[in-house]
Amino acid sequence: MRTKDSNSMMNELHHVTDLLDAYALGALEAYEVAQVEAHLELCPVCRAQAEVARAIAQQLLLSAPLVAPPAGLKAKVLARVHAAAAQDRAVAEAVAPTSVAANAPDKPEVTRRRTMLRRMLDTMLGAEPLNTEDPVAALLLKLLAEPACEVWSVAGTKDAPKNAAARFVGVPNDREGVLITAGLRNLAPDQAYQVWLLHDGKPEPNALFRVERGGRGHQIVQAPTRLRDFEVVAVTPEPASGSPAPTGPIVLMGALTA
Ligand SMILES: [Zn+2]
């Protein structure tokens, strides 16, 4: 049993990034929730990531047409997620560690995070037809359902507000992705945020987007070649019509590691 001692500060400073998606979906065990919340009180970096995870979870919930009252649906979804998580643990314990290591180079937390997100999608899509009226939601759902889907963390830089953060969702072998932001400043009407994909260190101009209240935005990114050809995704404020090369400071940046 862990006690509050001189080491507790160190423990709490271990980032909890890998638990935040499951946390946003209410899919963690009670002891994990306590661990995450203790850390969030101390860590602005993880608080920002938690805000993005909430935005993604909300996007997923909003993208399914809600026939039943939202609270009822959410409870049902979470119950299914909990049951699925218990099942996953049982399966994971039954599988020999060596065979898991051979097939899954990812950290278990990362694999679980993806499993949670996909399980939630399956639950919703199984119950209701996909709301194709929101192209961003439709693409996000499609991407998250792909086994090779990655959810890359994109961090706010020193030129962004403290709570700025984003996720970039995409399949490395495909060209399309969705960037979901939180905590960005609202820009003047003659400005927009521009996405850049860096190839061999050279930023290539991509989509323009604006943010809503809370700095929330979501934008489809169409890459000229496969996403795996790019090392970094970045965002800068630019004139509303966009720029051929970045002129504003980088406010969001993340490595597109496989
Ligand atoms: Zn942290």
Side-chain angles (χ1 to χ4, degrees):
M1 169 151 180
R2 280 171 54 193
T3 53
K4 284 268 174 193
D5 56 27
S6 57
N7 289 327
S8 69
M9 198 65 169
M10 290 298 289
N11 290 334
E12 280 156 1
L13 287 176
H14 270 292
H15 291 310
V16 294
T17 321
D18 290 338
L19 293 174
L20 291 174
D21 286 321
Y23 174 69
L25 296 175
L28 291 180
E29 300 295 334
Y31 78 93
E32 292 173 309
V33 170
Q35 180 196 340
V36 167
E37 287 178 349
H39 181 83
L40 290 181
E41 283 198 14
L42 297 173
C43 181
V45 176
C46 286
R47 273 205 299 278
Q49 293 289 345
E51 170 65 16
V52 178
R54 260 198 301 277
I56 290 182
Q58 198 177 47
Q59 180 87 26
L60 293 176
L61 285 168
L62 288 177
S63 58
L66 300 176
V67 179
L73 176 67
K74 193 180 169 199
K76 259 194 296 191
V77 167
L78 293 182
R80 292 268 301 262
V81 168
H82 279 298
Q87 220 168 41
D88 284 356
R89 270 196 301 278
V91 170
E93 279 161 16
V95 175
T98 48
S99 68
V100 171
N103 296 320
D106 293 329
K107 287 184 289 183
E109 300 83 26
V110 176
T111 307
R112 183 172 66 164
R113 184 177 71 185
R114 287 197 210 125
T115 306
M116 293 296 175
L117 285 166
R118 257 181 241 121
R119 189 89 52 186
M120 188 165 173
L121 292 174
D122 289 346
T123 307
M124 292 189 303
L125 293 179
E128 305 291 342
L130 179 63
N131 178 8
T132 50
E133 282 173 27
D134 179 353
V136 177
L139 177 59
L140 190 58
L141 290 166
K142 184 185 136 225
L143 291 172
L144 284 166
E146 296 271 346
C149 181
E150 295 279 350
V151 182
W152 289 290
S153 288
V154 181
T157 68
K158 63 174 175 51
D159 290 308
K162 268 202 174 67
N163 63 339
R167 296 293 170 86
F168 187 51
V169 180
V171 177
N173 279 328
D174 279 348
R175 297 181 178 202
E176 281 183 319
V178 176
L179 183 73
I180 300 170
T181 68
L184 288 178
R185 273 185 206 95
N186 275 294
L187 295 175
D190 60 346
Q191 284 192 303
Y193 286 108
Q194 186 158 14
V195 180
W196 305 90
L197 292 173
L198 274 71
H199 175 66
D200 288 338
K202 184 180 172 294
E204 300 188 2
N206 207 290
L208 294 160
F209 68 98
R210 303 190 62 81
V211 296
E212 298 156 16
R213 209 154 45 88
R216 288 189 179 184
H218 47 265
Q219 177 59 47
I220 293 176
V221 173
Q222 311 259 12
T225 62
R226 298 178 305 176
L227 290 174
R228 67 181 305 159
D229 296 335
F230 299 90
E231 309 93 53
V232 168
V233 61
V235 171
T236 62
E238 298 294 334
S241 56
S243 301
T247 64
I250 294 173
V251 291
L252 292 172
M253 188 157 71
L256 301 180
T257 48

